[in-house]
Amino acid sequence: MFISKKSLARRTFLRGLGTAVALPLLDAMVPALTPLSAAAAAPKLRFGAIYIPNGAIVDEFFPKEVGTGFEFTPILKPLEPFKHSLVVVKNLSRSHPGSQVGDHAVSVGGYLTGVWPKRTEAEDVLANTTIDQIVAKQIGQDTPLPSLEVATEDFTGYVGACSPGFSCAYLNTISWSSPTTPLPMEINPRVVFERLFGQAGTASSRVARTRQERSILDSISQEANDLRRVLGARDRGRVSEYLDNIREIERRIQRTEAHNTSQVTSVGAPVGVPDSFEEHVGLMYDLVAAAFQADMTRVFSFMLSRELSQRTYANLGVTEQHHSVSHHGNDPDKIAKNVKINTYHMQLFARFLEKLRSTEDGDGTLLDHSVIFHGSGMGNPNGHLTDPLPVIGLGGGLGKGYRHIELPTRTPVGDLWLSVANKFGDKLTEFGDGNKAIELFT
């Protein structure tokens, strides 16, 4: 038998001036006569953690039915198209030593760490290595970026206490590389784009390049055309769709930058951050999807908005600040506004999931080869409650979907992350306050 198929390395880049654009998984990266599951280029399982601030109205979040199959609640309704990849996990609790309940700092500081952060207003912060970084040590060491940390609000200039008795460091990130090292979260889509695809530089140099209106992808166009000529029809389509997607992301960033540089902005306003929260979140989600597709990273964390967020949602008819309205005092009108915000966040998440589901990845899609958690370190926000935390998992890596798991009351969230760590190859026997992995993966 004559086999003419050639094999590309999985880590193949299209290179241009200051640019190295990784390619998605292509048929040409699998050697001839090699089953995909046995090839070095076989799809890898990815992990993501998305954090929403100020808790959720849990009565409108958790389904009434437990087990397989359930009726979707108002907040979860946007995720119904993805039900066969969805697992709802009820009765998780963040760490709560003794009678202490805590507030916003311990909500975000304890969510992915599984611990009660050290009470301090100084620099001697102490929490735990977060689950995203545990996973990154297992699956992220052979990718250009072991992990990617993004957000939409930046309060890193705040020092001292942002929450009574707790350092601002606990509120400014959801990712910790060690118990004493909080990781910065990038809010500027342009910076994220350039970390992934090149052309790094200062804010002023980025503005200068924007004025030149020259695409990063222009510098690799010839090499891309040469590659297309030697690929099969299916791979040509994948490369074209992938590069078109990157160009569209870049175009949106450039449009934002052009708008920002033409307006009077506050000193130090970051270049490339959209005025629209929806556009900002959409860009970040699209960048994560592109990073997954190109295997630039297999792990991400995204703080959708910051605890104590003062953001308003006029597009939803919510003109009060999110933090203020979250203390609803059992007022039906304020509860309804919270449900609107919670549901809106799910709608944005659903768009990201659709992007993953529609992107081919080897023998499936990016969604098939992912495990992504969406949740908060706070239950009912009115009293800063520790439980039940509104947590869901999405992705084919979870196994069977359309499940609602009801755990024993106040199950430590560390038990969830322990099961995740084990799934990704770490043999930990405890994580934070958790020491019993839950039966999550099927």
Side-chain angles (χ1 to χ4, degrees):
M1 181 184 297
F2 179 72
I3 304 297
S4 60
K5 179 180 177 182
K6 297 181 180 180
S7 176
L8 294 175
R10 176 65 182 96
R11 189 64 62 210
T12 299
F13 294 87
L14 298 178
R15 300 185 184 277
L17 183 62
T19 304
V21 178
L23 290 173
L25 181 59
L26 304 174
D27 292 340
M29 293 173 179
V30 181
L33 301 181
T34 303
L36 182 62
S37 60
K44 308 298 183 183
L45 190 61
R46 287 91 164 175
F47 176 79
I50 299 160
Y51 188 88
I52 57 171
N54 302 325
I57 305 302
V58 295
D59 290 341
E60 301 294 327
F61 184 94
F62 291 107
K64 292 181 173 58
E65 304 86 359
V66 177
T68 303
F70 52 81
E71 185 174 343
F72 277 77
T73 57
I75 293 174
L76 295 183
K77 191 68 174 176
L79 302 183
E80 190 166 10
F82 310 96
K83 62 185 180 183
H84 294 297
S85 297
L86 170 66
V87 178
V88 182
V89 186
K90 188 177 182 181
N91 284 335
L92 290 169
S93 173
R94 70 169 187 266
S95 180
H96 50 94
S99 61
Q100 300 181 78
V101 174
D103 60 0
H104 297 275
V106 296
S107 295
V108 66
Y111 179 56
L112 295 183
T113 65
V115 301
W116 177 273
K118 178 182 178 181
R119 185 181 292 273
T120 178
E121 297 181 14
E123 297 179 356
D124 58 331
V125 293
L126 181 66
N128 190 23
T129 304
T130 47
I131 185 59
D132 61 307
Q133 294 304 300
I134 297 292
V135 172
K137 289 175 184 176
Q138 296 296 315
I139 67 170
Q141 301 310 301
D142 58 346
T143 55
L145 297 177
S147 63
L148 184 64
E149 298 79 37
V150 296
T152 61
E153 292 180 286
D154 184 9
F155 288 80
T156 53
Y158 283 62
V159 295
C162 287
S163 192
F166 288 91
S167 168
C168 292
Y170 296 121
L171 285 156
N172 291 333
T173 185
I174 57 172
S175 184
W176 293 63
S177 62
S178 78
T180 58
T181 310
L183 291 176
M185 309 206 83
E186 181 54 59
I187 72 164
N188 192 329
R190 167 61 70 176
V191 175
V192 176
F193 185 91
E194 291 174 349
R195 283 184 67 192
L196 295 171
F197 306 116
Q199 292 278 4
T202 64
S204 59
S205 66
R206 291 196 299 273
V207 171
R209 283 200 302 273
T210 298
R211 288 172 177 163
Q212 293 174 359
E213 296 184 350
R214 182 171 182 267
S215 170
I216 286 176
L217 296 182
D218 288 345
S219 65
I220 63 166
S221 59
Q222 185 58 53
E223 189 169 352
N225 289 335
D226 291 343
L227 176 64
R228 287 188 183 98
R229 281 194 285 270
V230 299
L231 293 176
R234 178 172 155 131
D235 279 350
R236 286 198 302 272
R238 284 178 176 172
V239 170
S240 295
E241 181 180 5
Y242 170 66
L243 294 180
D244 286 347
N245 180 51
I246 293 175
R247 188 179 294 278
E248 172 59 18
I249 293 172
E250 186 180 43
R251 184 192 67 78
R252 287 155 59 193
I253 292 171
Q254 289 173 335
R255 184 180 63 196
T256 295
E257 291 174 334
H259 172 76
N260 287 352
T261 55
S262 68
Q263 302 292 321
V264 177
T265 59
S266 60
V267 176
V271 174
V273 177
D275 294 331
S276 163
F277 174 70
E278 186 166 322
E279 173 70 5
H280 195 175
V281 171
L283 273 172
M284 289 305 198
Y285 274 144
D286 284 354
L287 285 164
V288 168
F292 271 9
Q293 185 180 13
D295 204 33
M296 294 295 289
T297 192
R298 296 172 192 153
V299 179
F300 81 93
S301 56
F302 186 5
M303 187 158 60
L304 197 70
S305 199
R306 188 177 182 268
E307 284 291 341
L308 291 169
S309 175
Q310 305 301 303
R311 188 181 303 282
T312 60
Y313 294 85
N315 59 315
L316 307 178
V318 181
T319 56
E320 299 168 77
Q321 296 172 345
H322 186 190
H323 175 230
S324 298
V325 77
S326 73
H327 291 283
H328 50 74
N330 295 320
D331 179 337
D333 180 60
K334 289 188 175 182
I335 289 175
K337 289 177 179 178
N338 275 275
V339 172
K340 283 185 178 181
I341 295 172
N342 297 153
T343 306
Y344 178 56
H345 289 164
M346 284 298 180
Q347 290 169 345
L348 299 178
F349 182 41
R351 295 176 192 174
F352 172 57
L353 295 174
E354 181 55 41
K355 187 81 169 181
L356 297 183
R357 187 170 66 175
S358 63
T359 303
E360 290 186 9
D361 185 53
D363 57 354
T365 70
L366 288 179
L367 184 58
D368 293 332
H369 303 145
S370 295
V371 173
I372 300 172
F373 286 91
H374 185 287
S376 178
M378 184 182 296
N380 188 332
N382 190 52
H384 298 153
L385 296 190
T386 61
D387 58 280
L389 301 182
V391 178
I392 53 173
L394 268 297
L398 289 163
K400 184 178 180 180
Y402 205 9
R403 287 182 289 148
H404 178 198
I405 300 173
E406 187 171 64
L407 302 170
T409 302
R410 288 195 169 185
T411 296
V413 71
D415 283 353
L416 172 68
W417 304 138
L418 180 60
S419 66
V420 170
N422 294 167
K423 170 68 175 180
F424 282 90
D426 195 300
K427 302 305 181 183
L428 286 173
T429 57
E430 58 182 32
F431 187 92
D433 290 347
N435 57 18
K436 183 180 179 181
I438 64 177
E439 296 183 6
L440 177 67
F441 300 93
T442 62

